[in-house]
Amino acid sequence: MLPDTLKFPSGRTVKRLKQDAKALAKKEQIPLHVALDTVAEENGSLNGWKNAIKTLQKTYPVKSINTPKTNMNPYRKLVTLALNKAIESGKISLNWDNKERQESGYLITSIAGENTVINWSDASFGEIRISVWWNYDHNQHPQANMRAPYKECFQTSLPLAKRQRYKEFVGIVCSAWIERDSGRHIQGYGNESIFDRYTRKGELQKVKVLPNPEPLGFEIEGKFFM
């Protein structure tokens, strides 16, 4: 529906011209559609009321009813995107059989068009620590080519470099716990339980505007277990 606040070339709004047309129709005893055409022409549209409205409709921005939501906590959004990637690639399973086993690894992939490192390690009772290094540039990592144990091997929640050097090679770093025993969810709510966080200036806004991802078989929030 066209808003009544849109204006004709004369500066008068659609609402005011409708009122003018009704007054004119009553005064001159003419049909309303004739009065509408008259006031349209008097206010700068020479092709009548209907054509004037069509022209205004073309200039009116129509909001899509399918505009994706972007309101998820940005760190939790990244963790969700990362966990989805790990599940899709078969690296992490949400199924846990109550048997303790060593589950750890890493995956280098792309999330929202940016190079990303995902690494994980099991804790106990089916919990997994998952970490995301988003907008990561390995060539700029100061410890990319060092010898062990100083060489970056993607095994820890934080990169193997001094924190003041992070801005040189990574945009956002964050970690969370994945619950698989009492349910399947990322532990905590909002920023709660998202740990080992680092954010380079300007990077968080890039994640905020990303559409909320659809989690693959898990909840994006849930109880945190100490």
Side-chain angles (χ1 to χ4, degrees):
M1 181 178 293
L2 194 67
D4 285 341
T5 54
L6 286 181
K7 296 180 179 180
F8 271 64
S10 66
R12 290 178 72 80
T13 64
V14 171
K15 182 177 180 179
R16 290 298 301 273
L17 290 186
K18 285 180 178 179
Q19 294 170 348
D20 292 347
K22 289 180 180 179
L24 180 63
K26 184 177 180 180
K27 178 182 178 181
E28 301 293 336
Q29 295 295 301
I30 58 176
L32 180 60
H33 71 272
V34 174
L36 285 169
D37 287 341
T38 300
V39 297
E41 292 176 6
E42 290 176 349
N43 286 273
S45 180
L46 302 179
N47 296 314
W49 181 265
K50 287 185 178 180
N51 287 324
I53 294 301
K54 287 181 181 179
T55 301
L56 289 175
Q57 285 175 329
K58 292 178 181 179
T59 63
Y60 177 62
V62 179
K63 293 184 179 180
S64 171
I65 60 174
N66 295 317
T67 300
K69 294 182 178 180
T70 61
N71 59 343
M72 186 186 297
N73 176 275
Y75 297 106
R76 201 162 287 272
K77 186 183 295 184
L78 273 184
V79 173
T80 299
L81 288 165
L83 184 52
N84 279 350
K85 285 280 188 178
I87 292 171
E88 288 176 328
S89 65
K91 299 294 186 179
I92 290 179
S93 173
L94 295 177
N95 297 318
W96 187 60
D97 56 10
N98 293 308
K99 295 181 179 179
E100 298 292 344
R101 57 173 61 86
Q102 184 67 31
E103 295 183 66
S104 62
Y106 72 89
L107 172 67
I108 299 178
T109 185
S110 176
I111 290 179
E114 300 293 354
N115 194 53
T116 305
V117 174
I118 306 167
N119 74 62
W120 60 91
S121 179
D122 68 315
S124 58
F125 301 104
E127 288 185 7
I128 291 179
R129 185 267 303 160
I130 186 170
S131 300
V132 189
W133 306 352
W134 187 71
N135 200 355
Y136 174 81
D137 186 346
H138 193 63
N139 292 327
Q140 299 302 316
H141 194 314
Q143 294 180 217
N145 300 310
M146 287 186 175
R147 294 182 178 181
Y150 305 107
K151 182 178 180 179
E152 183 60 74
C153 296
F154 314 115
Q155 295 180 351
T156 53
S157 61
L158 291 169
L160 292 180
K162 292 183 178 180
R163 193 177 183 88
Q164 57 264 37
R165 301 290 301 274
Y166 284 5
K167 63 182 179 181
E168 299 172 18
F169 64 92
V170 66
I172 295 177
V173 175
C174 59
S175 298
W177 295 106
I178 310 302
E179 174 62 25
R180 299 185 298 172
D181 182 20
S182 63
R184 298 173 177 177
H185 64 262
I186 301 171
Q187 293 187 15
Y189 299 87
N191 276 343
E192 175 195 339
S193 306
I194 303 293
F195 60 97
D196 285 347
R197 285 184 290 169
Y198 164 79
T199 308
R200 186 165 60 197
K201 184 178 180 180
E203 300 288 346
L204 199 61
Q205 184 59 34
K206 298 177 184 178
V207 179
K208 286 181 178 180
V209 300
L210 294 176
N212 292 347
E214 187 68 31
L216 300 179
F218 61 92
E219 300 294 328
I220 64 170
E221 296 179 323
K223 182 178 179 180
F224 173 71
F225 295 91
M226 297 296 291

